[in-house]
Amino acid sequence: MTDPVAGPDLGGSYLVVDDHPLMREAMASLVRDIAPAAAVAMAGSVAEALRLADSGVIRALIVDLNLPDGDGAVLVTELRRRSPELPILVLTACEDHAQVRRLIAAGATGFAPKSAGPATLSAALRLVLAGQTYVPPLMLALPDAEADEISEAATMAPTAGKLTPRQLEVLRLVCDGLSNKHISRRLGLAERTIKVHVGAIFRALGVSNRTQAAREARTQRLLD
């Protein structure tokens, strides 16, 4: 039976973007294992990747999230705009559920942690090239309701007026001096979910710590 991903349709140019040469070479090697006839272009920055993308048609994109001249998510968004069907596999050292959902929403079709072994990375790449979506098993295990709440918190517009009822609830408990762990117990949510909410609150209020958040909540009378 013919491998659904290793067929002749995998020709063309693959773009691997990572600021670490060894990681670029490792991913390029995986691409060549899957598609021996494919050309593999490599870049170490967003700017270099865009220049290469401008020079020809890209068959697939494999991109590190953290690049020296910007967020890899910017590259994902731009190349998705140019090519709506482009398979995009994002690599990152951060295994954050909210980040996964944010990247999928931006247009990534796969997400793989750099800590994964070659077999996992190869499987993720094959799925993405086959037109499917790959996310880490831990993300798949996240309850739907909690995953939706994380996604909402992560993508919330950064203004105090956009705080959701849940964020206001979390903010009230922050003002009461509770830690993330105690807030998670009080609300019956995972601590990671509370962490995402607290980060969203900080962005909305334009603050960097809990004391400043409490002061802004009082100043803006958000909890009256």
Side-chain angles (χ1 to χ4, degrees):
M1 182 175 180
T2 302
D3 188 315
V5 181
D9 63 321
L10 291 186
S13 180
Y14 290 67
L15 179 57
V16 176
V17 188
D18 197 295
D19 60 337
H20 295 287
L22 290 178
M23 192 64 188
R24 286 200 299 270
E25 290 293 344
M27 292 309 301
S29 179
L30 286 179
V31 170
R32 294 186 186 105
D33 287 343
I34 295 171
V40 182
M42 291 182 280
S45 67
V46 172
E48 186 179 4
L50 288 174
R51 284 197 298 272
L52 288 171
D54 286 338
S55 67
V57 176
I58 300 299
R59 171 66 178 79
L61 172 69
I62 301 148
V63 59
D64 180 18
L65 188 61
N66 299 309
L67 296 168
D69 61 341
D71 190 341
V74 173
L75 187 58
V76 170
T77 301
E78 173 59 20
L79 293 187
R80 168 62 68 233
R81 182 188 67 78
R82 298 184 187 186
S83 180
E85 302 302 320
L86 181 71
I88 300 175
L89 176 64
V90 173
L91 305 175
T92 180
C94 179
E95 302 178 32
D96 180 77
H97 294 119
Q99 187 180 67
V100 174
R101 292 200 160 232
R102 188 162 56 249
L103 286 165
I104 296 297
T109 46
F111 177 97
K114 285 188 172 183
S115 58
T120 298
L121 291 174
S122 180
L125 183 55
R126 286 176 178 274
L127 281 173
V128 168
L129 293 176
Q132 301 179 50
T133 299
Y134 175 85
V135 295
L138 284 177
M139 183 61 191
L140 294 175
L142 193 64
D144 287 343
E146 185 176 342
D148 289 342
E149 186 163 325
I150 283 177
S151 180
E152 179 183 19
T155 57
M156 187 192 73
T159 62
K162 294 293 184 178
L163 287 174
T164 66
R166 175 70 82 189
Q167 265 122 30
L168 289 172
E169 192 174 17
V170 171
L171 177 58
R172 186 181 300 279
L173 296 176
V174 166
C175 291
D176 288 343
L178 274 66
S179 67
N180 287 353
K181 180 181 292 186
H182 287 96
I183 295 174
S184 71
R185 291 174 180 171
R186 179 76 65 86
L187 299 181
L189 296 171
E191 191 172 346
R192 61 176 171 260
T193 308
I194 301 303
K195 183 178 179 181
V196 173
H197 279 311
V198 170
I201 290 167
F202 285 3
R203 292 195 304 275
L205 299 182
V207 302
S208 58
N209 59 55
R210 302 167 94 87
T211 300
Q212 292 173 356
R215 184 183 303 121
E216 281 299 311
R218 290 193 296 271
T219 300
Q220 298 187 40
R221 303 176 67 87
L222 296 175
L223 302 176
D224 291 350

